[in-house]
Amino acid sequence: DAKTTQPNSMESNEEEPVHLPCNHSTISGTDYIHWYRQLPSQGPEYVIHGLTSNVNNRMASLAIAEDRKSSTLILHRATLRDAAVYYCILRDVWRDDKIIFGKGTRLHILP
Amino acid sequence: DTAVSQTPKYLVTQMGNDKSIKCEQNLGHDTMYWYKQDSKKFLKIMFSYNNKELIINETVPNRFSPKSPDKAHLNLHINSLELGDSAVYFCASSQGTSAQETQYFGPGTRLLVL
């Protein structure tokens, strides 16, 4: 399975943008890039996913490098509620459906 | 309305006991999963069912037995509980098994084996 590398933790100030990086240098052409987050004492929740093009939704934006070897999750205006562990995950369209979670990035939001 | 619900939320029990955790989803999804999150916070898939049929079984001791009475329910029965089974167990569901599908997770069941 293609693996992802994320910083263990990051800090950001409230109401400022946050850029969460993810490296996936061994990504294959059929790997989708997914982001999930886990708020304290809750189950993981879907944030966004993409294949090649940048993606936007109401929660965040996903910027994918042209060579697809890295991506960045962008929270445009962080709130205290965005403090969570963010997981960058690759899912191969040709393989089974299991999600393999790494260690993720613990995001701290400073008021 | 809760999309994916689990009961109980907390479970404290003695070693050697048998216990069950229930999961229900009201999203009309065909696929359901069980994940285990250990004390180091690693989240690992245990089982996956699609249309009541087992499709993923990840090297889990056979003391763990999932049961899917219908597409909306996936229960997890654990026999002869051990200390190492203490963890948070999450149920999840998705419409199908495609790599594009979003998985929706329940709130978790916190199991403590004494």
Side-chain angles (χ1 to χ4, degrees):
Chain A
D1 293 326
K3 294 185 177 177
T4 63
T5 304
Q6 299 177 251
N8 287 335
S9 66
M10 290 183 63
E11 272 186 3
S12 179
N13 293 319
E14 197 178 8
E15 299 186 2
E16 289 187 357
V18 181
H19 290 236
L20 295 159
C22 181
N23 288 322
H24 27 77
S25 58
T26 59
I27 191 170
S28 75
T30 52
D31 280 324
Y32 278 85
I33 303 161
H34 287 250
W35 285 81
Y36 281 74
R37 71 179 185 181
Q38 187 172 17
L39 301 170
S41 301
Q42 294 189 28
E45 64 174 347
Y46 168 82
V47 178
I48 201 166
H49 80 279
L51 184 63
T52 56
S53 303
N54 295 343
V55 184
N56 299 299
N57 66 23
R58 63 175 181 81
M59 287 181 71
S61 295
L62 176 60
I64 301 173
E66 199 169 331
D67 64 4
R68 300 187 72 236
K69 293 187 177 182
S70 65
S71 60
T72 302
L73 179 70
I74 303 166
L75 307 179
H76 295 287
R77 196 162 167 269
T79 68
L80 294 176
R81 196 196 170 276
D82 292 320
V85 178
Y86 286 78
Y87 298 98
C88 172
I89 297 157
L90 300 182
R91 297 179 65 187
D92 190 330
V93 69
W94 295 115
R95 300 183 68 170
D96 57 37
D97 190 48
K98 60 184 178 183
I99 293 181
I100 299 175
F101 285 86
K103 295 181 182 180
T105 296
R106 182 170 295 278
L107 176 64
H108 301 272
I109 303 297
L110 306 175
Chain B
D1 285 343
T2 303
V4 182
S5 59
Q6 298 179 225
T7 54
K9 189 172 182 179
Y10 299 96
L11 185 54
V12 181
T13 188
Q14 300 286 333
M15 265 196 325
N17 284 349
D18 302 338
K19 290 293 179 186
S20 291
I21 307 172
K22 295 185 177 181
C23 177
E24 177 181 2
Q25 53 95 3
N26 62 7
L27 298 167
H29 287 168
D30 289 337
T31 309
M32 296 185 73
Y33 313 81
W34 277 109
Y35 288 82
K36 177 181 179 181
Q37 188 166 40
D38 60 25
S39 57
K40 294 184 179 178
K41 302 299 184 182
F42 287 113
L43 194 61
K44 294 182 180 178
I45 191 165
M46 301 173 69
F47 300 102
S48 170
Y49 270 72
N50 185 48
N51 281 320
K52 302 191 331 179
E53 288 191 17
L54 181 67
I55 58 171
I56 295 175
N57 183 347
E58 287 287 305
T59 318
V60 177
N62 55 18
R63 297 183 295 104
F64 290 79
S65 53
K67 285 185 172 51
S68 182
D70 55 58
K71 288 198 307 184
H73 296 85
L74 181 62
N75 303 323
L76 184 64
H77 188 76
I78 315 171
N79 289 327
S80 304
L81 278 155
E82 301 177 356
L83 295 176
D85 297 332
S86 296
V88 183
Y89 292 84
F90 289 101
C91 177
S93 73
S94 62
Q95 180 57 55
T97 57
S98 158
Q100 294 193 68
E101 296 287 352
T102 297
Q103 292 191 8
Y104 296 83
F105 286 79
T109 295
R110 285 142 187 86
L111 172 65
L112 178 60
V113 182
L114 302 174

